[in-house]
């Protein structure tokens, strides 16, 4: 049977352990401590990057709709590939714009802006490539 003192001591130990984990995470050494146990930590995505990615998917989905509406299969294929690489089309995409050239330029600017704000180097690289591809696609439209 555990007395009151044992419960208080046990609770205090848990609080101290939780505080140590929190302090290690804030200090940037938690991953090192976890690696020392043989476990490989999985990095968590930046929430800002997740928002940037969602915005880019919505923007590209709008360009895809414009390319399909204006019968530009080459641009549609390119944008579809980009969307597949970023997780697929967004069902909440905006309505197609009147001119595909304008949609491509606007999308390239938005994707470039997302690229410049990205925390993840991998995401920044993918978005830079997508922006360049959109600019090149203007010659196909």
């Amino acid at each position: 049977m555990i007395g009151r003192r044992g419960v208080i001591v046990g609770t205090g130990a848990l609080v101290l352990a939780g505080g140590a984990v929190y302090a290690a995470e804030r200090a940037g050494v938690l991953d090192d401590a976890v690696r020392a146990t043989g476990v490989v930590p999985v990095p968590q995505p930046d929430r800002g990057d997740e928002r940037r990615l969602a915005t880019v998917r919505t923007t590209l989905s709008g360009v895809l709709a414009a390319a399909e509406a204006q019968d530009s299969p080459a641009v549609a294929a390119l944008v579809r590939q980009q969307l597949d690489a970023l997780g697929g089309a967004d069902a909440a995409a905006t309505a197609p714009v009147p001119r595909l050239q304008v949609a491509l330029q606007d999308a390239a600017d938005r994707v470039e802006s997302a690229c410049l704000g990205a925390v993840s180097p991998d995401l920044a690289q993918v978005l830079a490539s997508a922006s360049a591809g959109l600019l090149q696609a203007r010659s196909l439209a």
Side-chain angles (χ1 to χ4, degrees):
M1 179 187 277
I2 299 176
R4 257 192 203 182
R5 182 172 281 167
V7 171
I8 292 172
V9 170
T11 303
L14 285 175
V15 169
L16 286 174
V21 168
Y22 177 77
E25 191 274 329
R26 296 293 293 168
V29 296
L30 181 60
D31 285 351
D32 296 335
V34 171
R35 276 189 201 92
T37 65
V39 176
V40 179
V42 177
Q44 297 299 309
D46 180 75
R47 288 190 178 126
D49 279 356
E50 289 177 336
R51 286 190 300 276
R52 285 179 196 88
L53 183 57
T55 299
V56 166
R57 288 179 53 224
T58 300
T59 299
L60 291 177
S61 296
V63 173
L64 177 60
E68 289 172 342
Q70 297 180 28
D71 196 29
S72 184
V75 173
L78 175 119
V79 174
R80 214 174 272 113
Q81 285 179 333
Q82 290 179 339
L83 280 167
D84 288 345
L86 296 172
D90 182 0
T94 59
V97 295
R99 292 184 41 216
L100 184 54
Q101 291 282 344
V102 173
L104 287 167
Q105 182 65 54
D106 182 51
D109 292 343
R110 287 181 186 198
V111 174
E112 177 187 23
S113 177
C115 167
L116 294 174
V119 173
S120 164
D122 293 334
L123 180 60
Q125 185 176 9
V126 169
L127 295 180
S129 177
S131 179
L134 291 166
L135 291 174
Q136 288 178 333
R138 291 181 307 170
S139 66
L140 302 172

